[in-house]
Amino acid sequence: MTTGRDGLRVVAIADADSFVKWAASLLGGVPGIRSHLLLVRTPLTASVEQQRTALAGTGMLPEQVTRVRFAETLAWLEGQRPDVVLLAGRGPFVRLLGRVIDALSHRPVTISGLPGMAIPAQRGALDYRRHTDLLIVHSHREARAFEELGHRIGVQLPTALATLPFAKRRQRMLRPEHIRVDAASGGRNAVAVAERPAILTPVRPPATDIVFAAQALVPVGLDERAEIAAMLVRAAEADPTRRIVVKLRSRPGESETHLERSPYAELLPTRRPDNLVFSYESMASALDSAAGLVTVSSTAAIEATALGIPVIALDSFGVSKSLLNTVFVGSGLLGGRSEVVAGRFRHPHPDWLRDNYFHPEAESTWWDRVEQLVALRRAGALPPKRVPAARGGTMHDAWHRASVLGAEDRSLQGGLALALGAPATAALAAVRRRRQPAEGGTWSDASTDFTLEPNPFHDSIRR
């Protein structure tokens, strides 16, 4: 761990690339702590190259990262005795590591969160993290959504507000009261930009790239993803002087947080315009030369907004919770494929900003809450929230461990549990889907920011 005698010892435990980036960025914004990142090997664990990309710009150094097998985690934590542990992974990973925390002789404060926009608040996201001491959210809207969801399902988990770390570094650049979007300047395919008062000093060099932030989960359908691929080709052909950059999270052979069933690298034609390119660098690097960003619902839209880069959040396939884009309703960012091709990008409406990720920094009090919890734990006034024993006993525990760890779990019991449990859980999931309301239940309810039924993505953690 890093040097320093007085700062709290804070360890983030993560595996997948998006959680590595989020955890490192979140802790990188807290001065005076002794931080470390523990990467546990699972099928989703970031590669060395993904780790390098994820850590870029966070302030966390390679020597602050340790890679371990799951079986080594308990001993490592016992040796380090952290004051705070940030559990940064998908829900089953958080629950599995929660059992490790329960076995420690020295109980740290445990915190958790999601690595980007979290609207709608999903039942599983809250339920899997219910045994941590604090849930980090990134907007006032998220705080309300998770509080309402908690009331509905009987989960009481305190939340604390943090500025989304990918936006925090550059939030000073955003002056909502001054934003005015004019018509596209220059040629017919030029990118629309926001004019700002002349007294402001330019903060970005001239840029021309259009960056597409690809997502594994949305849209789900092959036809819809093929339409996006075709849009990117048309955008490249419409103006050969600008690059269309397809920003991908993983190289061939690498894993990422969510399972991508129809990769854009396979959907785009082999013979494509020279100015249609792929990028595996960090989003921050890709945005350095971006004049506009397009996505369905990636958190990259917030990162671009923080840089003053205009955005289009695609609504060509609708606006729904299943597309994860209801957060953009009222933002002014929603637009169609033809607008992408024409370069008609835009900035968000000022009234949308404060409730959605651009609240004043003074309202981000998450670290104050963490310090309060540490003081309570040291005083013996914060009871541990232990993960209860699984209802299925040791076999259920073995199935859960093997599901998260994959080939890293070499136990006979894990292999047997997975062999028996995988078809059983698939059958159970099918039954649950048949029982869901025909109209989609809370996933189709536009009046709320939470969902109760299982998500529609078929995104098993097992790989």
Side-chain angles (χ1 to χ4, degrees):
M1 301 178 76
T2 59
T3 59
R5 294 182 298 175
D6 300 322
L8 292 176
R9 296 179 177 89
V10 184
V11 172
I13 307 179
D15 61 345
D17 64 310
S18 61
F19 283 98
V20 172
K21 175 183 175 181
W22 172 69
S25 299
L26 187 69
L27 297 184
V30 183
I33 63 173
R34 291 177 282 169
S35 61
H36 203 88
L37 178 62
L38 189 65
L39 285 185
V40 178
R41 295 180 194 168
T42 76
L44 305 184
T45 300
S47 68
V48 173
E49 189 61 26
Q50 284 175 309
Q51 173 189 314
R52 182 194 64 78
T53 300
L55 296 185
T58 67
M60 185 167 281
L61 303 175
E63 52 265 34
Q64 292 173 264
V65 181
T66 299
R67 289 175 175 261
V68 296
R69 295 181 56 193
F70 173 74
E72 301 167 327
T73 307
L74 178 62
W76 192 92
L77 290 170
E78 284 283 15
Q80 298 294 334
R81 294 176 63 84
D83 299 292
V84 180
V85 170
L86 170 60
L87 295 176
R90 291 183 60 178
F93 178 88
V94 171
R95 181 174 289 178
L96 180 64
L97 271 297
R99 296 188 187 280
V100 175
I101 300 297
D102 289 345
L104 291 174
S105 59
H106 168 77
R107 179 84 186 190
V109 168
T110 56
I111 58 178
S112 60
L114 295 162
M117 297 188 297
I119 297 293
Q122 298 180 40
R123 181 174 192 149
L126 182 60
D127 199 36
Y128 274 115
R129 295 168 175 83
R130 66 190 301 169
H131 300 105
T132 57
D133 296 307
L134 190 67
L135 179 70
I136 306 301
V137 295
H138 298 111
S139 75
H140 290 294
R141 184 173 177 177
E142 288 185 0
R144 292 194 304 272
F146 277 101
E147 181 180 7
E148 188 173 0
L149 174 61
H151 287 318
R152 290 292 298 270
I153 67 175
V155 172
Q156 295 183 342
L157 176 58
T159 62
L161 185 62
T163 300
L164 194 63
F166 321 132
K168 182 177 180 179
R169 295 192 300 273
R170 308 170 180 89
Q171 195 172 16
R172 61 181 174 81
M173 299 169 58
L174 190 66
R175 301 288 180 86
E177 66 274 19
H178 295 309
I179 289 178
R180 179 167 60 88
V181 180
D182 283 357
S185 58
R188 63 183 178 89
N189 293 317
V191 175
V193 296
E195 289 193 356
R196 301 174 189 276
I199 58 172
L200 291 181
T201 303
V203 292
R204 297 179 63 251
T208 59
D209 290 353
I210 302 302
V211 176
F212 170 59
Q215 295 167 268
L217 291 183
V218 296
V220 173
L222 173 59
D223 291 344
E224 295 168 334
R225 296 176 78 84
E227 288 180 33
I228 290 179
M231 173 199 73
L232 297 172
V233 171
R234 290 198 303 273
E237 293 173 340
D239 185 355
T241 66
R242 68 183 181 191
R243 293 198 313 165
I244 307 299
V245 179
V246 183
K247 172 65 182 71
L248 303 176
R249 300 194 67 94
S250 59
R251 299 166 182 79
E254 293 178 329
S255 297
E256 55 185 272
T257 307
H258 299 290
L259 181 62
E260 187 172 29
R261 299 184 185 277
S262 301
Y264 288 101
E266 297 176 5
L267 295 176
L268 286 163
T270 303
R271 299 184 63 182
R272 53 184 176 269
D274 291 340
N275 59 326
L276 177 53
V277 299
F278 295 114
S279 172
Y280 300 100
E281 61 187 341
S282 70
M283 180 58 71
S285 296
L287 292 177
D288 280 343
S289 56
L293 178 128
V294 57
T295 186
V296 175
S297 52
S298 170
T299 301
I302 303 302
E303 193 167 352
T305 295
L307 279 167
I309 299 170
V311 171
I312 289 178
L314 281 174
D315 63 1
S316 299
F317 313 110
V319 178
S320 66
K321 290 177 178 176
S322 60
L323 286 168
L324 307 178
N325 62 355
T326 56
V327 69
F328 294 117
V329 172
S331 69
L333 297 179
L334 292 167
R337 287 167 288 171
S338 62
E339 293 177 283
V340 174
V341 175
R344 292 193 290 268
F345 291 76
R346 64 286 308 265
H347 292 278
H349 194 285
D351 291 343
W352 178 84
L353 292 169
R354 180 166 186 152
D355 207 34
N356 294 278
Y357 309 102
F358 290 97
H359 51 271
E361 180 63 27
E363 296 174 6
S364 293
T365 59
W366 74 277
W367 185 249
D368 292 335
R369 293 287 303 278
V370 170
E371 290 182 317
Q372 292 167 6
L373 291 173
V374 170
L376 288 172
R377 177 132 295 157
R378 288 175 173 176
L382 182 66
K385 298 169 68 175
R386 299 186 181 278
V387 180
R391 286 177 293 180
T394 56
M395 189 59 74
H396 190 166
D397 281 342
W399 172 81
H400 178 216
R401 184 182 64 250
S403 295
V404 174
L405 299 179
E408 290 296 324
D409 179 39
R410 298 179 173 88
S411 68
L412 180 61
Q413 187 181 39
L416 178 61
L418 202 57
L420 296 174
T425 54
L428 180 59
V431 171
R432 287 175 175 170
R433 285 194 295 270
R434 287 195 296 269
R435 290 178 178 174
Q436 288 185 23
E439 65 277 10
T442 53
W443 279 93
S444 298
D445 183 358
S447 68
T448 69
D449 273 336
F450 66 86
T451 59
L452 299 175
E453 300 84 10
N455 71 55
F457 304 124
H458 307 293
D459 180 38
S460 172
I461 199 169
R462 295 188 298 276
R463 300 291 168 87

